[in-house]
Amino acid sequence: MQLVDRIRLGLAVGVAKTVTGMVKMLRLGAASVLPGEISRRLHPRLLPLMFEQVKQGVILIVGTNGKTTTSLLLRTILEDQGYRVTHNSSGANLINGLITALLVDTDLTGNLNVDYAILEVDENILPLVLKDCQPKYILGLNLFRDQLDRYGEVDTIAQRWQKAIAPLPTDTTIVLNADDPTLNYLGQNLTQKVLFFGLSEPNLYLEEIPHAVDSIYCPSCGTLLNYQGVYLSHLGDYECPSCGFAKNATAIDSKDWGQILIGVYNKYNTIAAGLLAQEFGIAKPDIFQTISNFKAAFGRAEELTIDDKQVRILLSKNPVGMNETIRAVNDINKTKEAAVTLLVLNDRIPDGTDVSWIWDVDTEQLVATGGKLIVSGDRFFDMALRLQYSCEQIGAENTNFELIIQEDLGAAIATSLELTKKEETLHILPTYSAMLEVREALVGRKIL
Amino acid sequence: MELSIGWLYPKLMSTYGDRGNVICVQRRCQWRNIGVSIIPLDREADSAQFSKVDIIVGGGAQDRQQEIVMRDLQGAKAAAFRNKIESGTPGVFTCGSPQLLGRYYEPALGQRIEGLGLLDLVSKHPGIEANRCIGNVVFEITATPLAKELQALWDEDPIIIGFENHGGRTYLDSVQPLGKVIVGYGNNGEDKTEGAFYHNAIATYSHGPLLSKNPFITDWLIKTALQIKYQKEINLSKLDDSVAIAGRKAMLQRLELSQLIVTK
């Protein structure tokens, strides 16, 4: 780095650190975005310069679902081996959030003292980051439909990723989910080193393809894909009957691996982080050790104990994510260890303002298992209607489940806890902003 | 009594929760003990399947999927579909499917997609840089004779509450608009029209899905379909819509449209 760059970088860092201190002192929030914005104005090439200084390299994690949990697992694996790791806080996955995360570990002379930087990147921002930054690793988890009001269409996003990754050095390692046809196809068309992960466990196949699927057409020729089986949404074992496009061989045998938390989606998160960790040279037994001790990130299958009762918060922000949380909740409900579920639907900017997506969720499955369902949040009426329309019978004829509508979130949480028996678990399924509110109500502090 | 719901390209045109419209029709039939079946009118379906449906429901699609649909909806299938609409089969078409029924759609990128030309309207996407029309939408149905028939069913002005989320803009020629916008963009954000109405086909940009918070439209579809099929006057039994009514009230309050709330 040139001296003049170093001085400007140091200046930017100094100002940013002052801002961080002030924001925190004045209790304005956790200062996860603003310092980045200010320092970027002071030094426009700040992000690429910081990328260059990460000793072992920067890992970008992209995908619709699972970024936070996978990042946290990977970070824990690395830290358990004694590495210094930096990681952007959940939700701060636009450019300014990335800069802010790296600034935390940068000193006033512009030195960044970390071995690895794990950065969650918003799927729409990836091309922008790659324009002038070179990560050593990119992990692509999945591409589902999310927040259509912001982004539009899955196909377009994959094409933009491909264009953005193409010019990167050939020794960049790209780790992709082979079970997602869109990402598998992307991997086949890259000149970089590509490693695939995926499941090879037909015992985990779904009985039928859920409705909320995005791309079951061949990304190469547009023919309907043949699936031997589906693990979740459009992730599965598939091939194209027309052009021969098929799932690539994976660099990891999922049958050998356990998993963190609950649900098939967390199996994906586990093997994705596991494959990367192996690529860094960490031994399998050490990775397994971290996996078995792992605790959840905020609101992602996080477990809390409130008044001697277990509470599990399962972030549910899009059709695929919610179908999977319903599947996990049903598996537990069937063992009679839970019977109460609280659904909180908000329609603020971080949630997506369009709540039509709940009609793409197979809530019929949740209602069929029965129990008590409490609804709350900004759009509690929409959720109540969705549940009502999940039943073949209406009103008194339906004795299988009980729908409780409670607008006030505090009251809804109190009711839900009250209805939960001592040995049972209360499941809470919130959208993003609702998850923050639920946590605040339960543990008394905000996280952002 | 029984009805068949034809679901237009469920694998290709189900982008914005519009499956909810199919679910609403299905449930409100089941809740009244009217037999109901769902026929997927997908690429695998032939023209005979198009011919046997009593109600047609269509949703929105991504641009690429929309092109696949238009390539498939040709020949005998297109003729069967056209015949259904022209002979008064009730239907509800949201977002992408009205573009399909119109004369043509010009996407943001790529070639103009020719429509079936059933509705005298055209749709154009003003380019990827242009804002999408996104937000809660409220409009009053003005189309004849639909507005009067809905009023008879619901006992108040047919005010529709939904959510719009579209890049394309639609411009009507001779076809009558479905309604007049109170809050939101509607067809194009310029002329205050929303949707279109032709024979018994309802075309709209309103998701939400449309039928969930406007159950009187669902009942109108069911009643109209039964009357055509059984050639007699049908009176549907009342259902408990208290959740939908409370939800409508809450949304009108939130949008500062309390004057539209009717207290029964």
Side-chain angles (χ1 to χ4, degrees):
Chain A
M1 202 186 331
Q2 289 177 341
L3 183 64
V4 60
D5 266 338
R6 190 174 285 279
I7 291 168
R8 277 179 76 190
L9 186 58
L11 179 70
V13 170
V15 171
K17 283 190 182 285
T18 312
V19 172
T20 309
M22 280 172 63
V23 172
K24 283 191 173 154
M25 194 175 72
L26 297 172
R27 293 175 177 272
L28 296 174
S32 57
V33 178
L34 185 63
E37 170 64 29
I38 291 170
S39 50
R40 186 151 65 116
R41 296 213 180 154
L42 290 170
H43 196 314
R45 272 192 39 85
L46 190 64
L47 191 59
L49 287 175
M50 291 199 292
F51 264 48
E52 285 166 21
Q53 292 189 64
V54 177
K55 293 191 187 81
Q56 308 285 333
V58 174
I59 305 135
L60 300 185
I61 301 195
V62 287
T64 316
N65 289 345
K67 291 189 289 287
T68 300
T69 299
T70 307
S71 300
L72 186 64
L73 174 59
L74 188 59
R75 176 189 186 146
T76 314
I77 295 171
L78 289 167
E79 286 180 342
D80 285 353
Q81 299 307 307
Y83 290 108
R84 274 184 65 91
V85 184
T86 188
H87 169 214
N88 53 336
S89 59
S90 150
N93 57 11
L94 306 182
I95 297 272
N96 291 337
L98 308 186
I99 295 177
T100 303
L102 294 172
L103 280 174
V104 172
D105 293 285
T106 307
D107 66 23
L108 294 177
T109 57
N111 277 320
L112 178 53
N113 183 25
V114 292
D115 298 306
Y116 289 96
I118 302 171
L119 300 176
E120 294 176 37
V121 181
D122 183 283
E123 50 265 42
N124 225 28
I125 296 302
L126 182 69
L128 203 61
V129 176
L130 295 183
K131 223 188 243 173
D132 50 13
C133 297
Q134 295 191 342
K136 281 276 278 284
Y137 307 91
I138 299 175
L139 169 59
L141 289 169
N142 48 56
L143 262 183
F144 303 124
R145 229 187 301 147
D146 185 33
Q147 306 200 5
L148 287 161
D149 55 342
R150 274 204 301 170
Y151 294 156
E153 310 173 343
V154 165
D155 292 343
T156 328
I157 294 172
Q159 283 163 17
R160 293 180 55 218
W161 283 10
Q162 158 129 33
K163 258 199 204 147
I165 294 174
L168 291 180
T170 48
D171 63 347
T172 313
T173 303
I174 318 289
V175 177
L176 293 169
N177 189 341
D179 291 357
D180 188 330
T182 313
L183 295 187
N184 193 85
Y185 183 67
L186 170 70
Q188 290 182 354
N189 289 288
L190 293 174
T191 52
Q192 287 77 10
K193 176 178 178 185
V194 177
L195 294 174
F196 289 103
F197 67 95
L199 298 180
S200 44
E201 294 169 84
N203 57 312
L204 295 178
Y205 283 162
L206 283 170
E207 279 164 33
E208 55 181 330
I209 296 184
H211 171 73
V213 287
D214 303 295
S215 54
I216 45 173
Y217 288 86
C218 176
S220 175
C221 75
T223 310
L224 193 65
L225 289 174
N226 269 343
Y227 275 85
Q228 290 88 58
V230 168
Y231 295 112
L232 71 89
S233 184
H234 60 263
L235 309 186
D237 295 318
Y238 54 85
E239 64 191 3
C240 175
S242 171
C243 73
F245 167 75
K247 172 175 163 178
N248 274 60
T250 58
I252 193 164
D253 188 348
S254 69
K255 290 191 290 296
D256 297 346
W257 290 70
Q259 74 164 83
I260 54 167
L261 311 172
I262 55 168
V264 172
Y265 56 107
N266 280 316
K267 178 91 195 225
Y268 277 108
N269 297 337
T270 306
I271 57 173
L275 177 55
L276 261 173
Q278 279 189 307
E279 190 59 17
F280 301 153
I282 300 170
K284 233 173 166 182
D286 294 332
I287 302 172
F288 285 180
Q289 185 68 36
T290 305
I291 288 172
S292 59
N293 294 330
F294 184 77
K295 289 224 166 37
F298 288 116
R300 277 86 173 175
E302 182 186 16
E303 291 176 33
L304 304 168
T305 308
I306 310 285
D307 302 337
D308 290 337
K309 287 167 185 174
Q310 295 301 309
V311 178
R312 189 180 283 125
I313 306 173
L314 298 151
L315 179 67
S316 303
K317 57 187 173 115
N318 50 35
V320 173
M322 189 151 179
N323 272 343
E324 287 310 304
T325 56
I326 287 175
R327 184 171 166 190
V329 168
N330 272 347
D331 285 346
I332 296 163
N333 284 1
K334 278 171 194 154
T335 64
K336 304 281 176 214
E337 282 158 14
V340 185
T341 307
L342 167 62
L343 302 107
V344 194
L345 178 65
N346 280 356
D347 65 351
R348 301 171 203 178
I349 302 291
D351 308 299
T353 55
D354 186 352
V355 298
S356 309
W357 64 267
I358 61 172
W359 292 81
D360 286 329
V361 178
D362 297 327
T363 44
E364 288 77 11
Q365 309 269 349
L366 185 65
V367 167
T369 310
K372 293 184 171 65
L373 302 177
I374 298 102
V375 294
S376 192
D378 302 338
R379 301 294 291 247
F380 65 105
F381 280 121
D382 289 81
M383 187 55 91
L385 278 172
R386 177 70 192 96
L387 295 176
Q388 221 174 46
Y389 275 95
S390 299
C391 308
E392 263 185 58
Q393 268 107 35
I394 194 171
E397 290 161 53
N398 193 329
T399 50
N400 188 36
F401 88 106
E402 190 184 340
L403 177 62
I404 300 164
I405 300 174
Q406 220 143 23
E407 180 174 7
D408 181 76
L409 182 60
I413 293 173
T415 306
S416 308
L417 279 169
E418 208 168 288
L419 291 170
T420 306
K421 292 188 190 125
K422 279 242 150 75
E423 298 74 30
E424 291 180 354
T425 300
L426 163 65
H427 287 113
I428 305 181
L429 278 55
T431 53
Y432 192 79
S433 74
M435 184 268 284
L436 300 184
E437 288 184 322
V438 165
R439 285 201 89 259
E440 192 183 11
L442 287 174
V443 298
R445 68 193 167 95
K446 271 198 168 136
I447 59 160
L448 278 179
Chain B
M1 288 192 291
E2 58 180 64
L3 289 176
S4 300
I5 308 168
W7 184 0
L8 223 47
Y9 297 92
K11 287 181 194 155
L12 287 159
M13 307 191 74
S14 290
T15 305
Y16 299 86
D18 294 315
R19 164 173 80 154
N21 288 334
V22 178
I23 295 172
C24 287
V25 177
Q26 178 197 26
R27 294 302 186 214
R28 293 180 81 83
C29 285
Q30 288 171 336
W31 295 343
R32 295 181 166 109
N33 293 316
I34 298 167
V36 62
S37 58
I38 297 169
I39 299 178
L41 301 174
D42 236 311
R43 291 206 287 185
E44 295 78 14
D46 58 18
S47 61
Q49 276 166 305
F50 273 80
S51 299
K52 70 179 180 197
V53 302
D54 305 305
I55 294 177
I56 306 174
V57 181
Q62 306 189 41
D63 282 354
R64 192 176 77 146
Q65 271 77 352
Q66 181 111 344
E67 273 182 68
I68 300 176
V69 166
M70 271 325 293
R71 274 204 304 276
D72 185 67
L73 194 51
Q74 301 285 340
K77 259 168 140 166
F81 182 48
R82 191 183 299 272
N83 184 38
K84 275 279 155 190
I85 300 294
E86 295 286 1
S87 64
T89 302
V92 57
F93 303 93
T94 319
C95 200
S97 44
Q99 296 169 354
L100 198 82
L101 298 177
R103 297 214 314 268
Y104 62 82
Y105 170 55
E106 288 178 359
L109 300 165
Q111 299 278 307
R112 174 190 277 199
I113 304 171
E114 295 298 326
L116 293 173
L118 277 162
L119 305 182
D120 194 11
L121 56 83
V122 299
S123 307
K124 299 170 186 175
H125 197 298
I128 42 174
E129 300 301 323
N131 285 337
R132 290 178 74 81
C133 302
I134 297 172
N136 292 298
V137 59
V138 178
F139 62 96
E140 177 169 2
I141 291 196
T142 53
T144 55
L146 180 64
K148 279 220 162 62
E149 292 173 5
L150 292 174
Q151 207 150 18
L153 274 171
W154 191 238
D155 227 10
E156 58 182 84
D157 290 341
I159 304 290
I160 304 301
I161 299 172
F163 194 97
E164 59 184 329
N165 186 352
H166 53 106
R169 270 66 162 175
T170 293
Y171 300 88
L172 309 181
D173 282 317
S174 66
V175 66
Q176 65 166 328
L178 177 64
K180 184 174 176 297
V181 174
I182 299 169
V183 166
Y185 296 89
N187 282 334
N188 47 50
E190 296 161 31
D191 62 15
K192 292 277 169 198
T193 65
E194 161 52 29
F197 185 67
Y198 178 68
H199 291 300
N200 284 322
I202 293 172
T204 178
Y205 272 124
S206 178
H207 304 284
L210 175 78
L211 299 184
S212 66
K213 270 211 282 301
N214 306 288
F216 48 93
I217 301 193
T218 326
D219 286 353
W220 175 85
L221 290 166
I222 296 171
K223 181 183 161 91
T224 308
L226 287 173
Q227 290 185 160
I228 291 172
K229 185 164 184 180
Y230 295 99
Q231 293 293 309
K232 60 173 182 182
E233 172 77 17
I234 300 284
N235 285 306
L236 298 174
S237 55
K238 279 249 180 273
L239 294 172
D240 176 4
D241 283 314
S242 51
V243 176
I245 290 168
R248 289 171 60 83
K249 199 174 145 193
M251 187 43 78
L252 290 175
Q253 267 164 353
R254 182 167 148 181
L255 298 174
E256 297 177 350
L257 294 171
S258 303
Q259 74 274 12
L260 295 178
I261 298 171
V262 179
T263 42
K264 282 188 195 170

